Every structure is written in C-alpha cells, then in structure tokens.
Amino acid sequence: MTAPRFLASSALRLAAVFAVIFALGGALMFTAFYWSVASYANASIRDDLRTETRILLSDGGAENPAILARRVASRIQAADALKYLVLDAEGRVLAGGLPARPTVAGFSEVTAPAPPDGRETSGELATIEVLVTQLPRGSLVVGKSTYAIHELREWMGLLTIWGVIGMTVLAAIGGLASGAVLARRLDRVNAATARIMQGHLSDRMPPIGLGTEFEALRRNLNRMLDRLEASMEAIRHVSSDIAHDLRTPLNRLRHRLEHARANLTTVEAFQATVDLSLTELDQTLDIFAALLRIAQIEAGAGRSSFGPIDAGQMMQRVFEAYQPVAEQAGHVLEFRTETGAAITGDEDLLVQMVSNLVENAIVHSPAPAHIGLDARIEDGRVILAVRDNGPGIPSADLSKVTQRFYRLDHSRGSPGSGLGLALVAAIAALHDARLSLQSGEPGLVASIGFERATTESLAA
C-alpha cells in the first residue's frame, strides 16, 4: 500500500480511533486508581493518628500531663514512626520532638525538616499530618509524615503517564493490525468485484471473515450476483430463442407473401393470404410477449408486489373462471381446498401460473376428462396442484417440458407455442417454490410447493 493510500486508509483511521478511545479510557482508569489509593493512604494516616491519640489519653493520660509525658517519651525511645508534642496549659513543651506547634484542634498539616534518610536530603521539608487534641491541662499533638504518600503519588503519577502512553501505543498497533486485516479482506472483495465487472459473472465474493455481519454481507452480495447472472442469462435465452425458434415462422410468412405477390391474381385470394399472414403475425407477437414476460419474471420482476395471499381463494378464482370452458370442452373441473393455506407472492402471477396448467389440461386431455384443482397443507408447506387423467407426459420428457418451445410429439398439431410450462416454471422460481411434474397414471399431476405464510399476515 502506497503512502498516500495508507494515509487515507481505514486502517489508519481505525488506529487513530482506537488510540483516542484507549487513551481516554486509560487516563480515566489510572486517574481513578490514583485518587483511590491516595485517599486510602490519607485515611489510613488519620486512622493511625486517632488510634495513637486514644491509646495515649487512656488510663489517666488525659487528666495527668506527667503520665502523658512519660508515655510519649517511651514511644519516642521505641523509635516509633509517629511524632509527638505534649504541651502544658502555659504552652511549655513537656515531651516530644515535633518542631512545629499547631494550636488549632483537629487535623491539620505542618512542615518540618525532612530526616536525612532514604532519598530525602537534609535540606528538604516534609509535610506532617497532625491531630491536635485539647486537654484540661494542656494539649497533645500526634503527627505522622506524609512523605511516603508523596512518594506514592509521584510513583502513581508516572505510572499513570506511562500506562496511558503504553495503552495508546498498543491500541494504535492493534488498530493498525485490525485495519490491515480488514484492508486485505476488502482487497479480495475488490479484486472479485473487478473480475465480475470484466464479465466473469459466474465469480462470487470470497469469504470475508471478521464476524457474522460480514458473512451476511457476502451472502447478500452473492445473492444479488445470482440474480444479476439470472437476468443476463434470461436475456441471452430470449435472444437465442428469438434467433432460432422464431426464424421458422417468420421465414414461412415471408415465403407466403412472396408467393402471393408472384402468383396470386385475384383480390379474394390475395386478401385471404393477408388474413392468414396477419393471424400468424399475431401468434408471433404473442410468442414475443410470452418470451419477454418469462425473461422479466426470471430477472425478478414482480417481487416488489409480493404480499400475503389466501391460496384457497386464489385457486377458487381460477376454478370459477375455467369451469364454463371445461364444461364446454366436455371435461369435469373439480376444486377443493384446506383452511389456512396462506402464502406470500404476486396474486396475478400465481393466477396466470395455475391458469396455464388448467389450460394445458383442458387442451391436451381428450373428453371427457377429470381435472382437479386443490390447495392443501402438507409438512408445513402449501401445495397448489392441478391434476388430470389425460395422456400425461412420458417420464423421459418430464424434465424437458419446462424448456422454452419444447413440445411433445402428440401435441405438435394442437395450438400453442411450447412456452406455457416455461412460464409456470419461471413464476414458481420467482416465488422460491418447487415445481413438480409427476405421472398421475394416467394423466399428469403438476404441484407447486410454497413456504406457508402466517394467518396473521392475511388479517393485516
């Protein structure tokens, strides 16, 4: 990565954000630790002063200055860390070596020359925390040097500074490392995107890692690419179908018109040829419309209008529309449904899908035939089925009849273009439904399985 790219990269920004966050957090943490320890040390000194004062004043020490002075002298001889001063009523020193003479009762601080030990020099002044207790015949002063607390504060101050610096540096390094990992993963994504933009539509996004959120992003991007590839494939199929399967009727139309221009001599014959040609042109335009409709559906058009549908009511619409047509053709059309068969989809497309199956059964089944429509719930899925007892489809052709323009030998003399089942398959795929064509022995059973929607969605 070049320097300008690095300065503008997310890795550097992530490292800076980490450094700032950890610096602030470290500063707050060490500051709280500093004040907690310092407060505890000050409270500990005051507790020591209270305890020592209480011991000295017990058993007559408060009323008799002589007893108090002897006790203080014994404490000093024992090299106690505390400092003392006993004064009589006139302010004369009876015992103790504390150089300062505080007079205000309670806790206060005084300064005194520091002892020449440890790291202290004789020229330094030490702060002493003192507790002054007024007595009936004088006063008692007990003190303790706060030099150790001062040293502790200095040490903790340095610890705070270096701790914050260390946490900031580690956070910056961690941020750079995390940003570098993220940048490498995104470089793989960018490389895959570049290949796809160059025309490799079958390529997909590689695993990104770094958590479920990025994995969900990768899956969504790959699903988007799947639909894009399906759209391009649909366009390619339309172009191929138009080039191959529509060439024959267009050539036949051209030959008919050329023959009419060269050979027909009467107006009636010429008009009959024009009428026949117009009929064939209408059929060709219908094929164009069907091909474009299939391509649009395969590209995902119609998902925006998806909503909850009562499958039973939708199938009843188809039944009521085709019952007169079936009776006129000498067939018996039957219908049954189960309560609660709710699905999600585009109702108009689903009506067209079921209608195509019913029309195929009516057209290709010799009369009298029984044609059944049903909507049922099976293993948690909603199954829409159209069944008949006609000639059916040979097992070898079941996997081919959903291809565009594919027609069985015995149906080539009947009306149709071979696009009906292709449209059914496209609509089923749009709804993520499973189309199944099976032999009914006799006849054909076409069933489409949908994910069942909740009944609450219908009420909404």
Side-chain angles (χ1 to χ4, degrees), residues 52-53 55-78 84-88 92-97 135 137-142:
E52 184 69 13
T53 300
I55 294 173
L56 292 173
L57 296 179
S58 63
D59 298 331
E63 294 80 13
N64 193 332
I67 296 176
L68 181 60
R70 286 196 300 272
R71 289 178 179 173
V72 169
S74 65
R75 294 280 188 178
I76 294 174
Q77 289 177 0
Y84 306 92
L85 186 64
V86 181
L87 303 174
D88 62 11
R92 293 189 297 270
V93 177
L94 299 180
L135 304 174
R137 296 167 59 187
S139 60
L140 170 65
V141 182
V142 181

Side-chain angles (χ1 to χ4, degrees), residues 246 249-254 256-257 273-289:
L246 293 181
L250 290 176
N251 283 336
R252 186 168 58 247
L253 178 61
R254 176 181 175 83
R256 182 182 294 114
L257 292 175
T273 301
V274 170
D275 292 340
L276 185 59
S277 299
L278 288 175
T279 300
E280 192 160 341
L281 277 176
D282 289 338
Q283 294 174 353
T284 304
L285 291 175
D286 290 340
I287 293 175
F288 268 111

Side-chain angles (χ1 to χ4, degrees), residues 60 62 140 151 161 175 197-198 212 224 226 228 258 263 266 272 277 293-294 332 340 361 393 412 425 430:
L140 170 65
E151 289 287 297
I161 293 173
M197 292 173 61
Q198 292 170 0
T212 56
M224 179 185 69
D226 288 340
L228 176 62
E258 287 180 346
N263 300 305
T266 64
S277 299
R293 185 60 171 156
I294 293 173
V332 176
I393 298 175
R412 294 188 182 277
L430 177 69

Side-chain angles (χ1 to χ4, degrees), residues 239-255:
S239 301
S240 176
D241 292 337
I242 291 174
H244 294 86
D245 295 278
L246 293 181
R247 180 183 302 171
T248 299
L250 290 176
N251 283 336
R252 186 168 58 247
L253 178 61
R254 176 181 175 83
H255 292 157

Side-chain angles (χ1 to χ4, degrees), residues 74-259:
S74 65
R75 294 280 188 178
I76 294 174
Q77 289 177 0
D80 198 280
L82 298 174
K83 302 181 183 302
Y84 306 92
L85 186 64
V86 181
L87 303 174
D88 62 11
E90 287 74 24
R92 293 189 297 270
V93 177
L94 299 180
L98 186 65
R101 294 189 180 188
T103 58
V104 180
F107 289 102
S108 61
E109 289 185 348
V110 299
T111 56
D117 58 84
R119 291 170 49 194
E120 297 177 317
T121 61
S122 58
E124 289 188 61
L125 293 178
T127 301
I128 301 174
E129 181 88 11
V130 297
L131 174 59
V132 179
T133 305
Q134 297 295 337
L135 304 174
R137 296 167 59 187
S139 60
L140 170 65
V141 182
V142 181
K144 189 173 185 179
S145 174
T146 61
Y147 180 76
I149 296 179
H150 174 72
E151 289 287 297
L152 178 64
R153 285 178 175 174
E154 287 186 353
W155 176 80
M156 290 183 61
L158 290 175
L159 177 64
T160 299
I161 293 173
W162 286 109
V164 171
I165 292 175
M167 290 182 67
T168 303
V169 171
L170 288 176
I173 294 174
L176 285 173
S178 301
V181 171
L182 178 61
R184 285 197 298 271
R185 301 293 177 86
L186 292 180
D187 284 343
R188 293 168 56 190
V189 173
N190 288 330
T193 305
R195 281 184 53 81
I196 293 170
M197 292 173 61
Q198 292 170 0
H200 301 277
L201 295 181
S202 60
D203 285 2
R204 293 296 178 264
M205 295 296 171
I208 302 175
L210 304 177
T212 56
E213 298 87 353
F214 286 94
E215 182 60 23
L217 174 63
R218 183 184 76 89
R219 287 197 302 267
N220 289 334
L221 288 175
N222 284 339
R223 279 199 291 266
M224 179 185 69
L225 291 172
D226 288 340
R227 292 187 179 175
L228 176 62
E229 185 180 16
S231 300
M232 299 298 293
E233 188 69 12
I235 293 174
R236 187 183 68 81
H237 276 304
V238 169
S239 301
S240 176
D241 292 337
I242 291 174
H244 294 86
D245 295 278
L246 293 181
R247 180 183 302 171
T248 299
L250 290 176
N251 283 336
R252 186 168 58 247
L253 178 61
R254 176 181 175 83
H255 292 157
R256 182 182 294 114
L257 292 175
E258 287 180 346
H259 179 269

